[in-house]
């Protein structure tokens, strides 16, 4: 094999570790031997640093390169291996060699050392000391440290450092946008983004992603439109992020437009974009289109299967979830993981399939060596609690290998409300470290259903004493590419009067068919007429006046007076279950 071909193979990303070992053996047998070719040594070192086993780079350096004087590239390749291993003692040894052999004057080498310390979370120790001692700091040095501060949530230090950069690059500005958004300060991220003297595609993607991750998808869609108006062509990352925003909002029309955009612009519909599309369609309640995307995918991985399984569970297609799961097991090209079983157990919970849920929880998950997560426990507790098996649900909580979180306790608390187990509900509230407004409202609703008004007042007093306020329900819908938001009792919508008139018509029709409002869960001891009026102005019902709504838990399809959730969400089902018409409700609760 010629020298040039050897180097090509060494530099190829498709060359695996076994092949590297074979190339290494061939190089040792070459004439002249490997030790006389420093360039080949460095090439071999880089190949090992890029491999899945970067420790081989250090072994090679010690055994094969001791007769050569390393250059700056040698250390950069060693530091690349360090960045993958993330072991501070090893980094410190390479750093010491850099210093002893006089390479501390090369900014590229020192930036690599700094980068390694930052990756190991040692920014306040070795990282800051090294930065202060560097004789020649450039914009890359500053970017590295700014990213490090952002990673540990110290945006104050990151911002102070940012102000010291003489000529910040677009990368520097973007690092600040990502840092602020990653730490929940999306407004500061937006301010930095708007002040940027120039933007590239990465900076646009960073801000759009920041909006999505901070649960302000409306702003993400608006920024996406602005991005196109400024002639920036989206890439695969942009498309995936925007589809996530559409999924959060239930913005089906925009999601469909993105699908068309993918086709027209020649984007490869691989598992990455396929997964995003499937997730979007299912979170918008359009199961048929999601299945169509899945069927046409040439490449399917665990992510795409999981998107389908969890999305079908969200839409209440319980039997289909179990069928898809069995198909996945038969396929054998992919292996179910932790996320797969969240969807399976969620489906069992929504469908009330107790025996099926038990089988997967106690048997199938062990078959695949799945480690239980909080989500698995929460689904199983919810399934059993709703089925009235409160004692078994408690046993699962007691046997958990990790501490139960609020979701697990709330699943049990919800079962207590359904089956009116006051004693256990009170015990659960006392076990919670920081009960939220929803937990107290559930307990209060339980008291209300039993007409224990004094206890209802006690709950109200506790909430007042602790400064806990019930967050009003918020629902939103998309009509003609415009997002409309509603808050319980809110009268600010320009069509509020028309919406109320439509609700009155709907309520009159369903009352004529025998519908009676479920008023037992209203918090206050008021007369029935006031209770029904209060229920009539929930954010969900305001949105129903505009036809389409969706809740944070799942979707509801009503056919022939029956809901796809089998009364999983009692209040929702009672709203329309007596209506002779087929309705599709999509709740979108904040």
């Amino acid at each position: 094999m010629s020298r040039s071909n050897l180097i090509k193979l060494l530099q190829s990303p498709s060359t695996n570790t076994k092949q590297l070992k074979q190339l290494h053996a061939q190089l040792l047998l070459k004439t002249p031997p490997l030790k006389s070719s420093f360039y080949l040594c460095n090439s071999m070192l880089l190949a090992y640093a890029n491999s899945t086993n970067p420790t081989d780079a250090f072994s090679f350096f010690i055994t094969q390169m001791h007769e050569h004087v390393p250059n700056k590239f040698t250390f950069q390749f060693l530091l690349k291996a360090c960045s993958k291993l993330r072991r501070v003692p090893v980094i410190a040894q390479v750093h010491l060699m850099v210093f002893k052999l006089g390479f501390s004057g090369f900014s590229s080498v020192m930036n690599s050392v700094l980068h390694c310390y930052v990756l190991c979370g040692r920014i306040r120790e070795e990282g800051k000391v090294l930065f202060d001692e560097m004789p020649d700091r450039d914009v890359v040095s500053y970017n590295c440290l700014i990213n490090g501060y952002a990673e540990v949530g110290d945006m104050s230090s990151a911002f102070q450092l940012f102000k010291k950069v003489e000529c910040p690059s677009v990368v520097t500005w973007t690092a600040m946008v990502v840092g602020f958004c990653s730490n929940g300060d999306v407004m500061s991220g937006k301010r930095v983004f708007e002040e940027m003297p120039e933007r590239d595609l990465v900076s646009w993607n960073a801000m759009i992603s920041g909006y999505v991750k901070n649960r302000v998808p409306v702003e993400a869609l608006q920024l996406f439109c602005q991005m196109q108006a400024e002639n920036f062509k989206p890439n695969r990352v942009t498309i995936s992020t925007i589809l996530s925003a559409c999924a959060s909002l239930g913005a089906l029309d925009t999601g469909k437009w993105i699908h068309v955009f993918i086709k027209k612009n020649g984007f490869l519909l691989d598992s990455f974009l396929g997964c995003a599309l499937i997730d979007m369609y299912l979170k918008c309640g359009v199961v048929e289109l999601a299945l169509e995307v899945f069927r046409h995918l040439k490449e399917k991985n665990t992510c795409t299967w999981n998107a389908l399984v969890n999305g079908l569970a969200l839409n209440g297609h319980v039997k289909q979830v179990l069928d898809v799961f069995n198909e996945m097991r038969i396929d054998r090209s992919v292996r179910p993981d932790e996320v797969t079983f969240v969807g399976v157990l969620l489906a069992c919970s929504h469908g009330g399939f107790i025996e099926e849920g038990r089988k997967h929880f106690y048997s199938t998950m062990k078959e695949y060596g799945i480690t239980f997560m909080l989500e698995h426990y929460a689904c199983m507790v919810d399934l059993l609690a709703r089925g009235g098996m409160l004692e078994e649900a408690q046993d699962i909580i007691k046997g958990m290998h990790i501490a139960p979180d609020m979701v697990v306790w709330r699943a049990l608390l919800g079962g207590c409300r359904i089956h009116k187990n006051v004693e256990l509900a009170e015990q659960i509230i006392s076990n919670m470290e920081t009960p939220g407004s929803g937990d107290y409202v559930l307990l209060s609703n339980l008291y209300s259903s039993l007409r224990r008004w004094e206890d209802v007042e006690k709950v109200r007093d506790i909430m007042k004493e602790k400064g806990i306020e019930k967050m009003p329900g918020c629902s939103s819908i998309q009509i003609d590419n415009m997002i409309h938001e509603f808050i319980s009792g809110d009268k600010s919508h320009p069509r509020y009067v028309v919406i109320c008139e439509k609700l009155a018509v709907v309520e009159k029709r369903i009352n004529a068919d025998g519908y009676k409002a479920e008023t037992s869960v209203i918090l206050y001891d008021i007369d029935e007429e006031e209770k029904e009026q209060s229920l009539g102005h929930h954010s969900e019902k305001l949105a129903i006046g505009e036809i389409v709504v969706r809740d944070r838990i799942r979707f509801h399809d009503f056919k022939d007076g029956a809901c796809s959730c089998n009364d999983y969400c009692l209040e929702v089902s009672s709203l329309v279950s007596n209506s002779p018409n087929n309705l599709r409700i999509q709740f979108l609760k904040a």
Side-chain angles (χ1 to χ4, degrees), residues 568-585:
Y568 183 85
C569 300
L570 296 176
E571 180 185 333
V572 179
S573 298
S574 66
L575 172 65
V576 293
S577 59
N578 292 314
S579 172
N581 300 319
N582 292 339
L583 300 176
R584 183 177 191 80
I585 300 186

Side-chain angles (χ1 to χ4, degrees), residues 305-306 308-309 312 318-332 334-337 339-345 347-348 356 359-360 364-365 367-368 370:
W305 282 95
N306 285 349
L308 185 61
V309 167
L312 288 171
V318 178
K319 188 177 183 305
Q320 200 166 8
V321 169
L322 300 176
D323 289 342
V324 169
F325 174 64
N326 286 330
E327 187 182 337
M328 182 182 184
R329 296 181 72 184
I330 294 168
D331 183 87
R332 292 184 180 275
V334 292
R335 185 178 175 86
D337 62 8
V339 179
T340 316
F341 282 98
V342 170
V344 171
L345 293 176
C348 292
E356 190 79 20
K359 180 184 77 174
H360 292 304
T364 317
M365 288 182 68
E367 175 188 336
Y368 284 96
I370 302 297

Side-chain angles (χ1 to χ4, degrees), residues 518-530:
E518 176 57 66
T519 59
S520 64
V521 296
I522 298 298
L523 184 61
Y524 305 108
D525 186 12
I526 55 180
D527 61 45
E528 290 298 308
E529 185 177 350
E530 287 180 282

Side-chain angles (χ1 to χ4, degrees), residues 150-169:
E151 282 289 324
V152 297
D154 187 358
M155 287 310 298
S156 175
S157 296
F159 187 64
Q160 292 303 316
L161 196 62
F162 172 72
K163 291 191 294 185
K164 295 178 182 179
V165 186
E166 291 184 7
C167 299
S169 65

